[in-house]
Amino acid sequence: MFKFLKEKIGNWTEKISKKEEIVEEPKKKEIKLPMKFEPGLQKYEPDLEKLKEETPEPGTESFFRKIKTKISKVKISEKDFEIYSEELKGLLLENNVAYEVAEKMIKELKEKIVEKEFLKKEIESEIKDLFKEIIEEILIEPYDLAKKINEKKEKPYVVLFCGINGTGKTTTIAKIADSLKKEKISSVIAAADTFRAASIEQIKEHGEKIGIKVISHEYGSDPASVGFDAIKYAKKNLIDCVLIDTAGRMHTSKNLIKEIEKISKVTKPDTKIFIGESITGNDVIEQARSFNFSIGIDGIILTKADIDEKGGTALSVGYVTKKPILYLGTGQLYAEIEPFDKKRFIKKLGL
Ligand SMILES: Nc1nc2c(ncn2[C@@H]2O[C@H](COP(=O)(O)OP(=O)(O)O)[C@@H](O)[C@H]2O)c(=O)[nH]1
Ligand SMILES: [Mg+2]
């Protein structure tokens, strides 16, 4: 994904290290005073004449002991940093890192490297490590959904999914229901997308395939009451978890946002998950921000990570909303969802 970064830091540090090189001064040679024996005084005293002969002029090569292994150090000046950080910022933006996140990363990198000395041979790996550190701090540690469900005493645990059309909500809900089932957590799906044509059939088909009950009403009916009925069904049948699918709404549409606010009010979810596409970059950040503003999201799932070559969305969306990324969708099959793992993600970025 972020392979460009690896290359960038490589040729960036190469340029810097060519530009400025501090060769550490070798230690001053200890000068031993030549002594002469003065018979009259019966003692040794410094032979000042010999000393003058032996002492080379300051600045000549032999004045300092020449050490064989030169220690080359590199210092990155603020001016150097400004030039290369502009390039780096451009690259981050091109790779779907949001502007404010790119700025923060560069500011932190600046604090960590400007006017600091690095060993020339280690500068590349050190900058990469510092960059990794910054990314690790930006990403919020995800919580474990199955653990949360198991920990809730009064079942069912209610999960509300939101996001705009076509991002993969319905597919992801089926994936999650399937993986919970494998962990011996029972669930029921609420087909609360009563708006989009064929949405109820689509979720019912998934339900049949994975063996999960789907509660549905008619098209055009109130989605909040579908959610409410699914919760009632779960209570009655001792089902651990209710997964509420909703219609994809544009985050800019006031009416549809009002509708999801109502669903949220009626079903009182234990967790609200925003689903976005990792390939959409800045748009997904705006969507997450506005859902977070209207219903307050708790976590994020980014779908289509299998076709995302950039990787910057994951970095930005969590930072902007201050909410963790819980899973990455990595394909269309039920098993193609993986818990978000910070270390693995950073490795995938090529750092
Ligand atoms: N490649 C890929 N496709 C996905 C992923 N998740 C969902 N999709 C596809 O995205 C399309 C829209 O998915 P859907 O679940 O109907 O989106 P919804 O409108 O948000 O409910 C479908 O064709 C899915 O198969 C994913 O992780 N990777
Ligand atoms: Mg859907």
Side-chain angles (χ1 to χ4, degrees):
M1 288 195 239
F2 258 25
K3 289 202 182 73
F4 74 94
L5 254 183
K6 204 173 171 183
E7 279 161 31
K8 188 74 221 159
I9 292 174
N11 76 44
W12 188 38
T13 52
E14 199 180 302
K15 276 188 205 163
I16 288 172
S17 50
K18 269 191 195 138
K19 209 173 160 127
E20 229 177 290
E21 192 172 308
I22 306 153
V23 178
E24 195 167 76
E25 282 188 353
K27 286 192 185 74
K28 244 183 192 169
K29 186 185 174 186
E30 209 181 282
I31 300 168
K32 258 195 184 157
L33 287 178
M35 305 296 274
K36 65 177 180 184
F37 185 64
E38 274 299 323
L41 296 168
Q42 290 296 305
K43 62 172 187 184
Y44 280 94
E45 53 164 52
D47 185 347
L48 295 177
E49 264 183 38
K50 207 168 173 208
L51 175 67
K52 216 174 159 189
E53 273 171 36
E54 280 182 3
T55 312
E57 286 292 303
T60 60
E61 271 218 325
S62 56
F63 191 74
F64 292 127
R65 183 159 47 111
K66 253 195 143 188
I67 42 167
K68 269 190 188 143
T69 46
K70 272 190 189 171
I71 307 167
S72 294
K73 286 193 176 178
V74 174
K75 200 191 242 177
I76 299 164
S77 70
E78 187 156 356
K79 213 171 118 216
D80 271 335
F81 184 82
E82 296 299 329
I83 297 167
Y84 296 113
S85 70
E86 273 310 304
E87 264 183 70
L88 190 61
K89 196 196 281 177
L91 279 165
L92 289 170
L93 296 177
E94 273 171 36
N95 280 273
N96 282 346
V97 176
Y99 192 82
E100 61 193 282
V101 185
E103 289 235 294
K104 179 195 158 68
M105 289 171 86
I106 282 165
K107 186 170 162 263
E108 289 195 2
L109 190 65
K110 184 177 176 181
E111 275 162 24
K112 286 179 199 268
I113 69 172
V114 166
E115 295 301 325
K116 304 261 175 5
E117 279 184 6
F118 294 93
L119 287 178
K120 193 177 167 186
K121 62 176 180 351
E122 286 171 6
I123 186 166
E124 191 180 328
S125 66
E126 285 218 32
I127 293 187
K128 258 185 234 158
D129 285 348
L130 291 170
F131 220 79
K132 257 194 320 210
E133 239 174 63
I134 293 169
I135 293 177
E136 221 170 312
E137 276 166 30
I138 285 179
L139 295 168
I140 298 159
E141 203 59 57
Y143 57 88
D144 182 339
L145 187 61
K147 198 169 156 224
K148 289 241 179 197
I149 297 170
N150 284 328
E151 277 169 3
K152 190 182 179 193
K153 286 204 176 79
E154 216 178 296
K155 301 278 195 304
Y157 186 93
V158 178
V159 189
L160 177 66
F161 294 86
C162 64
I164 74 158
N165 239 335
T167 54
K169 286 180 302 302
T170 305
T171 312
T172 305
I173 290 167
K175 288 175 179 180
I176 288 186
D178 187 52
S179 83
L180 290 176
K181 195 179 173 193
K182 290 192 173 110
E183 295 199 50
K184 306 223 166 355
I185 295 171
S186 56
S187 56
V188 58
I189 295 172
D193 178 357
T194 59
F195 180 73
R196 194 162 93 167
S199 64
I200 299 175
E201 285 79 8
Q202 186 198 1
I203 193 77
K204 275 190 172 166
E205 208 181 304
H206 283 305
E208 267 165 36
K209 276 190 197 151
I210 53 181
I212 301 273
K213 172 90 178 164
V214 175
I215 302 292
S216 62
H217 291 182
E218 265 136 51
Y219 283 104
S221 61
D222 177 13
S225 71
V226 184
F228 189 80
D229 276 1
I231 294 169
K232 219 160 71 183
Y233 177 88
K235 275 184 186 157
K236 199 173 154 208
N237 295 280
L238 303 175
I239 293 195
D240 300 320
C241 177
V242 176
L243 304 168
I244 306 175
D245 189 14
T246 60
R249 52 209 73 230
M250 276 315 286
H251 56 295
T252 43
S253 155
K254 275 197 181 125
N255 283 344
L256 290 171
I257 285 286
K258 274 228 162 71
E259 191 180 272
I260 195 141
E261 282 172 2
K262 186 182 167 196
I263 303 173
S264 181
K265 228 179 240 166
V266 170
T267 59
K268 299 185 185 63
D270 294 284
T271 198
K272 287 165 261 180
I273 298 178
F274 164 77
I275 297 187
E277 284 179 346
S278 47
I279 36 179
T280 24
N282 265 319
D283 268 0
V284 78
I285 291 155
E286 280 318 307
Q287 293 160 19
R289 220 199 282 264
S290 94
F291 278 105
N292 194 30
F293 181 75
S294 62
I295 57 167
I297 60 169
D298 302 294
I300 297 157
I301 297 179
L302 289 180
T303 59
K304 310 185 188 181
D306 50 314
I307 41 176
D308 174 33
E309 287 178 349
K310 295 180 170 176
T313 308
L315 205 57
S316 312
V317 74
Y319 175 76
V320 169
T321 57
K322 302 278 177 282
K323 298 296 180 306
I325 293 167
L326 306 177
Y327 297 95
L328 292 179
T330 55
Q332 302 191 342
L333 304 173
Y334 293 136
E336 285 172 328
I337 183 163
E338 52 184 61
F340 187 74
D341 179 329
K342 278 166 75 166
K343 292 225 154 55
R344 197 160 152 201
F345 175 75
I346 291 170
K347 219 172 174 182
K348 265 196 183 164
L349 291 181
L351 286 168

